Amino acid sequence: PDVKRQRSLKLFEIGENIKKDFYESQKGTIHSVLFEKFDGKYNCGHTKNFMYVKVLSGQSMENEIADVKITDFDDEECYGILI
C-alpha cells in the first residue's frame, strides 16, 4: 500500500513538472482562443491544444475566437492579452 501511494505521488509530481514546463514554453506565443465564458473580469476559453486561457477584459467575448499572446501562468491556467 505504501509503495502504491509513493508511486502515485511521484507520478503526480512528474505530471505537474511536465505541465509547468509546457506552460513556460508557451509564454510569448500566440494562440487562437475560443472564449466560452465571462466572469465579469476575465474572458475564459481554450486554445486548439486545450490550454485554458484567461484574458482580462471589460466586456464579454463569449462564443468568439480571438488571437491571444500568452503572458503568464499559474498551476491551472494561462493568462494572456488580446492581439
Side-chain angles (χ1 to χ4, degrees), residues 23-76:
Y23 282 174
E24 184 68 43
S25 75
Q26 297 304 298
K27 285 172 93 174
T29 61
I30 297 172
H31 296 271
S32 291
V33 175
L34 171 60
F35 291 107
E36 299 157 345
K37 70 176 186 175
F38 178 65
D39 66 8
K41 185 175 181 181
Y42 290 96
N43 280 293
C44 309
H46 289 89
T47 65
K48 290 180 183 179
N49 61 353
F50 304 106
M51 284 191 315
Y52 190 69
V53 179
K54 294 175 87 171
V55 175
L56 189 62
S57 180
Q59 62 185 12
S60 175
M61 294 178 64
E62 284 182 272
N63 300 316
E64 293 183 34
I65 297 173
D67 287 336
V68 172
K69 182 176 182 178
I70 305 300
T71 58
D72 203 3
F73 66 94
D74 62 21
D75 291 337
E76 298 299 320

